[in-house]
Amino acid sequence: MAKAVIAGNWKMHMTCAEARAFAEAFLPLVADLPSDREVILAPPFTAIAALSEALSGSAIKISSQNVHWDGSGAYTGMISAPMLLEHGVTHAIVGHSEPRKYYSETDEQINHRARAAQEAGLIPILCVGESDAQRESGEAERVIRRQVEQGVDGLDPAALVVAYEPIWAIGTGKTCAAAEANRICALIRGWVGFPEITIQYGGSVKADNIDQLMAQSDIDGVLVGGASLDPAGFARIAGYQVPVTA
Ligand code: PGA
């Protein structure tokens, strides 16, 4: 069985010094994690090199928070897969709802990012999810299906993570009920058409809801924002325990 994937997205938080201090506090807390899971941190671009150095020798992996579709070029403010690979980055978040919203990223652009990431050897973490208004109007499934189908077009699903992140649950403290998150993740699995695809849930994941989320049949991991900024809290999330069922 594939490993569970527990990822922390730091967004626009953490200087290099703060990232080093996080690693120093975090590593001893996750030294004895069960081998059925992998842990990833996604720092801002400027802290990738420092964090990569601070985590060297550990099993903790690094993701970028976005990636461009070209290897180099006149793209002010962007970063490419070869630049990330140089620092040992293994994953790249694409299609997070924040760049979708603030920078109007389209499904087509997101698919280009994911394809380029995969071609370069990075594992894309493709985020999808509906807004509050879309859920209220009964549009959630149609919207997510479109994001999934356009997002994964041409990708190898064996080297891909899809993160279901309902926008209304991100940073709001309103977690999607575990059973509903699981239902959507199961639908996504069907739309991707690859039963072994790794699917994460994201949106107000905390130490007090992680065990219930990870106990769901179709949730293979989590993408954590705010709660990944605290070493002890994120270590608790990484150390989730699923009750043994008879
Ligand atoms: P949150 O963010 O955990 O702070 O809700 C999740 C995300 O945006 O990936």
Side-chain angles (χ1 to χ4, degrees):
M1 216 183 117
K3 291 187 180 206
V5 180
I6 309 298
N9 172 12
W10 285 354
K11 308 192 179 184
M12 200 173 70
H13 297 282
M14 298 276 192
T15 61
C16 290
E18 288 166 344
R20 279 189 211 100
F22 180 102
E24 201 179 316
F26 185 63
L27 285 178
L29 302 176
V30 292
D32 298 319
L33 279 187
S35 59
D36 62 351
R37 60 200 69 183
E38 65 181 16
V39 178
I40 303 170
L41 289 166
F45 297 141
T46 48
I48 286 178
L51 188 65
S52 173
E53 227 179 276
L55 295 177
S56 71
S58 81
I60 312 301
K61 297 184 171 175
I62 298 187
S63 173
S64 64
Q65 296 180 16
N66 211 338
V67 62
H68 199 267
W69 50 83
D70 263 355
S72 63
Y75 301 107
T76 302
M78 296 295 143
I79 199 154
S80 73
M83 295 169 183
L84 297 167
L85 289 164
E86 198 179 22
H87 294 287
V89 170
T90 54
H91 292 69
I93 297 173
V94 295
H96 189 279
S97 62
E98 286 150 14
R100 280 184 195 263
K101 175 177 166 197
Y102 297 125
Y103 317 124
S104 308
E105 287 201 2
T106 64
D107 288 313
E108 196 188 4
Q109 288 171 330
I110 290 159
N111 177 252
H112 285 165
R113 294 182 193 283
R115 283 187 191 214
Q118 241 185 23
E119 277 160 25
L122 295 168
I123 298 177
I125 301 177
L126 171 72
C127 303
V128 299
E130 81 285 3
S131 68
D132 208 6
Q134 288 163 337
R135 177 159 281 259
E136 288 305 310
S137 62
E139 295 284 281
E141 290 178 24
R142 192 186 56 78
V143 168
I144 301 163
R145 182 171 188 164
R146 187 204 69 224
Q147 292 174 339
V148 169
E149 290 180 346
Q150 295 190 14
V152 306
D153 185 41
L155 294 181
D156 172 6
L160 174 70
V161 174
V162 177
Y164 169 52
E165 298 210 302
I167 299 170
W168 47 271
I170 295 180
T172 57
K174 277 202 285 183
T175 323
C176 184
E180 173 61 6
N182 192 52
R183 186 182 74 82
I184 301 283
C185 290
L187 288 174
I188 292 172
R189 196 176 299 283
W191 294 328
V192 174
F194 179 69
E196 293 79 29
I197 179 87
T198 298
I199 304 184
Q200 295 178 315
Y201 166 78
S204 298
V205 174
K206 303 269 184 300
D208 62 13
N209 57 27
I210 182 68
D211 294 345
Q212 201 194 358
L213 288 164
M214 289 306 296
Q216 304 299 312
S217 59
D218 281 283
I219 298 180
D220 309 312
V222 285
L223 183 52
V224 186
S228 70
L229 295 169
D230 168 53
F234 191 52
R236 166 66 186 88
I237 289 172
Y240 72 86
Q241 288 181 354
V242 173
V244 182
T245 46

